[in-house]
Amino acid sequence: GAGVSQSPSNKVTEKGKDVELRCDPISGHTALYWYRQSLGQGLEFLIYFQGNSAPDKSGLPSDRFSAERTGGSVSTLTIQRTQQEDSAVYLCASSLTSGGPVHEQYFGPGTRLTVT
Amino acid sequence: KQEVTQIPAALSVPEGENLVLNCSFTDSAIYNLQWFRQDPGKGLTSLLLIQSSQREQTSGRLNASLDKSSGRSTLYIAASQPGDSATYLCAVPLDRGSTLGRLYFGRGTQLTVWP
């Protein structure tokens, strides 16, 4: 079946511009996560959506970052007034949760963001 | 806060060798442990998931073990092949806290298998 998809695969933008990154999770997966992988850094958590609950935004690095998830499916990560330190690979993951133990997370191919 | 460490950071071996990659974590209150593979410029591919109640999982030439109480996991790769060359990441979610399922990642082991 279809996996997690992300678009665009690559994005080059000028400093100060806004960007939107899109994630389509696996159908039926209620949990969705955004992570960021910067050069020389490990993967860091950004934000988490679970069903219709309010998202957990505890990993967002600044108020320039926001995300939404429409209809419990597609998610968009928005970065306003981009800075060079925002350059990274942004990864989205989804998992099937049922209130029990945490399930396996499936990752998309990522969006490579370069801020010039 | 969960800290995940992977040793070694890089490994270069000839084809055919059996390998052990190590992962350690500071907080043993985990739901499970997941091993991923990442190829250059690509996303993460899940290799194995070990539930906290399990001791090991096997998939083909891969075997992962988990010692939850001591905060350690190993990924064993048998008869390595050049196609195994990639970065291997381990990740754990805590079984408490508001962000259920949030993964804490190690920095990875970059593996190169040469013919």
Side-chain angles (χ1 to χ4, degrees):
Chain A
V4 178
S5 61
Q6 292 185 247
S7 61
S9 55
N10 282 284
K11 177 71 176 178
V12 180
T13 190
E14 292 180 353
K15 177 181 174 180
K17 300 282 190 181
D18 297 352
V19 295
E20 285 190 352
L21 313 180
R22 177 187 167 106
C23 171
D24 283 270
I26 293 173
S27 177
H29 281 193
T30 59
L32 186 148
Y33 306 81
W34 284 97
Y35 296 88
R36 177 171 74 172
Q37 187 173 35
S38 304
L39 188 63
Q41 302 291 320
L43 278 113
E44 59 175 327
F45 163 80
L46 297 177
I47 189 169
Y48 161 64
F49 295 90
Q50 171 56 50
N52 296 320
S53 303
D56 182 335
K57 307 177 184 180
S58 59
L60 295 180
S62 78
D63 58 9
R64 296 185 295 105
F65 287 73
S66 63
E68 63 177 21
R69 188 177 184 191
T70 55
S73 181
V74 173
S75 177
T76 302
L77 177 69
T78 301
I79 309 173
Q80 296 178 311
R81 305 181 302 282
T82 51
Q83 304 294 313
Q84 288 186 330
E85 61 262 28
D86 299 335
S87 296
V89 177
Y90 290 82
L91 292 162
C92 173
S94 71
S95 69
L96 178 63
T97 61
S98 59
V102 173
H103 288 261
E104 186 171 4
Q105 289 188 27
Y106 296 86
F107 281 76
T111 293
R112 180 174 298 277
L113 175 65
T114 303
V115 182
T116 61
Chain B
K1 183 184 175 184
Q2 177 75 278
E3 300 283 347
V4 181
T5 304
Q6 290 189 247
I7 295 173
L11 188 60
S12 180
V13 299
E15 181 177 8
E17 284 208 359
N18 300 322
L19 311 171
V20 176
L21 309 182
N22 297 290
C23 172
S24 62
F25 45 94
T26 55
D27 190 332
S28 62
I30 63 170
Y31 262 130
N32 57 49
L33 185 142
Q34 205 166 346
W35 281 94
F36 293 91
R37 168 187 174 137
Q38 185 174 33
D39 294 280
K42 305 288 187 181
L44 277 63
T45 300
S46 180
L47 297 174
L48 289 165
L49 182 147
I50 312 175
Q51 297 291 355
S52 61
S53 58
Q54 297 177 314
R55 298 286 294 185
E56 66 178 279
Q57 276 284 354
T58 298
S59 176
R61 294 182 294 108
L62 305 179
N63 175 275
S65 67
L66 174 64
D67 185 341
K68 181 181 171 183
S69 60
S70 67
R72 297 176 189 276
S73 176
T74 59
L75 179 66
Y76 178 82
I77 303 176
S80 58
Q81 303 171 357
D84 295 331
S85 298
T87 296
Y88 291 79
L89 297 156
C90 73
V92 290
L94 291 175
D95 67 0
R96 54 175 170 72
S98 60
T99 310
L100 191 66
R102 165 191 175 171
L103 289 175
Y104 293 84
F105 283 87
R107 292 287 187 95
T109 293
Q110 186 173 351
L111 174 65
T112 303
V113 182
W114 38 276

